[in-house]
Amino acid sequence: MSAKQFGDYIIHVDKIGKTFSNGVVALKDFSTNIRRREVVVLIGPSGSGKSTFLRCLNGLEEIDSGSITIDGIPLDDNRKHRREIRKEVGMVFQHFNLFPHLTVLSNITLAQMLVRKRSKTEAENEAMDLLRKVNISDKAKSYPSQLSGGQQQRVAIARALAMKPKVMMFDEATSALDPEMIGEVLEVMKNLAVEGMTMVVVTHEMGFAREVSDWVIFMENGMKVEEGTADHFFNNPQQDRTKLFLSQIL
Amino acid sequence: MIRSIFQFCKRHHLVDILAFLALMISGALILVRGAEDQGYYWQWFRVPKYIYQFDDGRFIAGPILEGLKITLNITWISLILTYVIGLVTALMRLSNSLLARAIARVYLEITRNTPLLVQIFFMYFVIAPILDIDRFAAGVLALSFFEGSYASEIYRSGIVAINKGQWEAAYTLGLSTYQSYRYIILPQAIRRILPPLTSQAVSLIKDSSLVSVIAVYEMTMYANEIASETFLVFEIFFTIAAIYLALAITLSRFVAYFEKRTQVAS
């Protein structure tokens, strides 16, 4: 992994803060920069702000302070900017969020046609390519409810990839899956990483973090506790809090 | 022996059927006796010609069927308007615009907290002259706005019942709000609210009788007229009640059938 060539910085996050309306502070002066082709894994106890950070990156949550820039586009009140960023940042959710009234194929083609303005044939060809890539092309005509959790999540990944995003975000993509299905989804994610996709991953899968990540950020209470390469993080953590967390989770 | 008879009866719901029949017959008897006590003489034989006649073997619709035609016309036009008004109002209530929400709110509060009869009069005597529309249009509009307010609540409940994750998925894929509603949210919501939405049509059929107060010649208006001319009050009103009942039950059955089908599909 370490031999990977990174590009320039694609994501700039500068001192962002986020407080929910119920007074819970989710992020406090959080800053980080992410390079092209880099795989950044966010770990930490629940409620530490990992998911909120992801959701702020594509504008699902509003930040109260600080700034976010993705591929040169600032995430501000400009609706055009926001739409551009949404197009460039793909997201995979914990609960898949497939569209239950559409077939697997339509799930993947819909946004391509509406947002990327591709023709139906173009979109379907792309969708079939991606379904083959995530090993599920035989389910193209099925509905999401007919699929297992692992299959649904792979479709959700294909759906996000179909938009040709520059960054992919995974919000606990394997947390809602049965243990025996986690592997097939992680496999797809690993392949993406190897292909050089820029990825921001929130996960509890330490094996994945250790093997695939280029940079690990450990968060607690909306702040960075420690960060570093996977090797540094897992083999030589500096902070006591990190050591405690790792001793509990590994 | 007695036990086996009892079991036979139970298996075939005989007791229930007998009880039901007894209730219906006693109800009918009370009705007939009540009318007779007032010195009312039933003259059912005079009713059919107000429904239909045969003139030289040619079928001629009587006033009641003429009225039924108008009732059905009022109903289907109002129904379409009701669904449109309901959807627009629901979207306004859910929108980010304070103005849209306020307008929707005021409309809902007024229509749902005043009698339909008053609204019909208001539409006919106040709005109709301004818009220069006839009484039929006034009646249709009054009904549509009234039923539309209830339909909007049905739409709204259906829309907010859709998982937030659907919005988020649509959003992250870059869909606009319009596209999200059009392709993701409404197709799912409408599937769920189809049964209550169709029940709304049943209310509409019944409420359409109220536009007779502004002399729209629909079924109830004709019935009123015939009754006052012929004094066949009970016969005529029972007849049109039966027709309303038949319409409503047909629709309800249709709804039930639809409900079953959508359940199987999902």
Side-chain angles (χ1 to χ4, degrees), chain A residues 55 58-60 82-83 86 89 91 93 97-102 110-111 114-115 117 159-160 163, chain B residues 163-177 179-180 183-185 187-188 191 266:
Chain A
R55 294 164 62 84
N58 66 357
L60 270 180
R82 286 184 165 258
R83 224 173 156 190
R86 282 156 54 193
V89 179
M91 185 157 184
F93 299 89
N97 297 349
L98 292 177
F99 306 130
H101 61 300
L102 300 176
L110 182 74
L114 291 176
V115 181
K117 309 287 177 206
R159 177 176 72 175
M163 298 302 288
Chain B
N163 191 310
K164 203 170 105 244
Q166 294 290 306
W167 280 107
E168 294 184 348
Y171 175 90
T172 52
L173 287 168
L175 268 61
S176 66
T177 307
Q179 288 170 335
S180 304
Y183 296 98
I184 308 300
I185 305 301
Q188 295 181 59
R191 220 166 283 193
S266 64

Side-chain angles (χ1 to χ4, degrees), chain B residues 155 158-160 162 184-194:
Chain B
Y155 277 113
I159 291 168
V160 298
I162 301 296
I184 308 300
I185 305 301
L186 286 180
Q188 295 181 59
I190 286 176
R191 220 166 283 193
R192 289 189 201 188
I193 62 173
L194 213 49

Side-chain angles (χ1 to χ4, degrees), chain B residues 11-51:
Chain B
R11 196 163 344 132
H12 293 86
H13 302 290
L14 269 185
V15 179
D16 286 341
I17 292 170
L18 286 176
F20 179 74
L21 281 178
L23 196 71
M24 285 294 115
I25 290 168
S26 51
L29 280 178
I30 288 170
L31 217 65
V32 172
R33 270 297 295 277
E36 274 172 0
D37 284 351
Q38 291 176 27
Y40 193 86
Y41 297 104
W42 295 94
Q43 298 178 302
W44 282 105
F45 65 90
R46 288 175 65 192
V47 172
K49 72 172 177 190
Y50 294 107
I51 303 176

